[in-house]
Amino acid sequence: MAEIEPQSLEELEDAVTAFEALVSSGLTEVIAQVIEESGIDDAELSSLTPADIDRITALWEAYVVGTLLPFLAVSMSAASEETAQALISVIGDQPFLNEPLDTQRYMAQAQNRLVGIGNELWFHARAAIAEGLAAGESIPDIATRVRAAAGVTEPRARVIARTESHGARNTVNAASVRRAASAFGRSSAFSRRWQAANDERTRETHRDADGQTVG
C-alpha cells in the first residue's frame, strides 16, 4: 500500500505558527489604532469610551478580510498542490487533480469564527469599562480592567488561529483524496492514518488515536 504524506508535522507547525503570529499581531494593531485614533496613549487607556471600543470590531473585521483570509487562501492552495503532487506520485497524473477545489464554504465559516475574536475582545473591553464605572472605580483601576480584558482574548485567539490553520489545510487535503476516490468509484480506495503532534497541547484522545488507520 502506497502512503501519501504531503507535509510533515514540522512543516505544518511552521504554517500554524505563522498564522498564529498574524492573529496575535493583528489584535495588537487593532487596539493600537483605536488608541491612536482616540488621541491617547497607553497610560490613558482608560479614556477609551464604549464608542471607541465599538471601533475595534470594524477594524478587526477589516483585518480578517484583508490579511487573515488571504493567508488562509494561500495556505489552502499550497496544501491542495502538495496533496495533488503526492497523489500523482501514487496514481499518476489525472485531469481531476488539476481542477480547483471549492473552498468558499470553508472560508466563509472561517471568516465568521475569526471575526468572533473581535466580538469577544469588544465584549470584554466594553464590559470592563461599564463594570468599572458602575463600581465607581478610579481611572487607574478601570485602566487595569481594560488591559486585563484585552489579555483575556489573546489566548483564545491563538487557539482559534491554530484550529483554523490546521482546518484549512485538512479541508483541502481531505477533499482532494475524496475526489480521487470518487473518480475511481471506490470509496475504500484510500484510508487515513491519524498522526498526533504529541506535544504539550495534544489531547489524550488524540494520543490514543495516533497511528490508527481508518476509512
Side-chain angles (χ1 to χ4, degrees), residues 22-51:
L22 268 184
V23 170
S24 180
S25 64
L27 287 173
T28 301
E29 289 174 20
V30 164
I31 294 172
Q33 187 170 340
V34 170
I35 291 172
E36 183 179 354
E37 289 178 354
S38 304
I40 60 178
D41 57 28
D42 287 341
E44 300 170 310
L45 195 57
S46 59
S47 300
L48 286 174
T49 67

Side-chain angles (χ1 to χ4, degrees), residues 85-128:
Q85 291 303 315
L87 284 166
I88 288 171
S89 70
V90 175
I91 64 177
D93 197 359
Q94 305 289 333
F96 61 82
L97 292 176
N98 298 316
E99 296 175 5
L101 294 169
D102 180 11
T103 59
Q104 290 185 344
R105 180 178 180 182
Y106 180 86
M107 291 294 282
Q109 294 170 339
Q111 179 174 347
N112 288 338
R113 289 187 289 264
L114 290 167
V115 165
I117 295 174
N119 294 337
E120 183 179 343
L121 177 60
W122 167 85
F123 173 81
H124 285 300
R126 186 171 185 177

Side-chain angles (χ1 to χ4, degrees), residues 155-175:
R156 172 66 178 155
R158 288 181 176 276
V159 171
I160 293 174
R162 299 188 68 83
T163 301
E164 293 304 334
S165 184
H166 280 300
R169 302 185 73 88
N170 287 341
T171 294
V172 293
N173 287 343

Side-chain angles (χ1 to χ4, degrees), residues 34 37-38 47-59 122 125-126 129 133:
V34 170
E37 289 178 354
S38 304
S47 300
L48 286 174
T49 67
D52 293 322
I53 300 303
D54 288 347
R55 176 76 171 131
I56 287 175
T57 56
L59 290 174
W122 167 85
R126 186 171 185 177
I129 292 175
L133 290 173

Side-chain angles (χ1 to χ4, degrees), residues 6-7 73-85 101 168-170 172-173 176:
Q7 193 172 50
V74 170
S75 185
M76 293 179 86
S77 178
S80 178
E81 176 63 23
E82 290 161 3
T83 304
Q85 291 303 315
L101 294 169
R169 302 185 73 88
N170 287 341
V172 293
N173 287 343
S176 296

Side-chain angles (χ1 to χ4, degrees), residues 192-206:
R192 73 178 73 191
R193 186 181 73 251
W194 294 116
Q195 187 175 19
N198 287 321
D199 59 17
E200 69 278 1
R201 289 183 295 264
T202 305
R203 300 176 189 176
E204 194 61 36
T205 52
H206 292 184

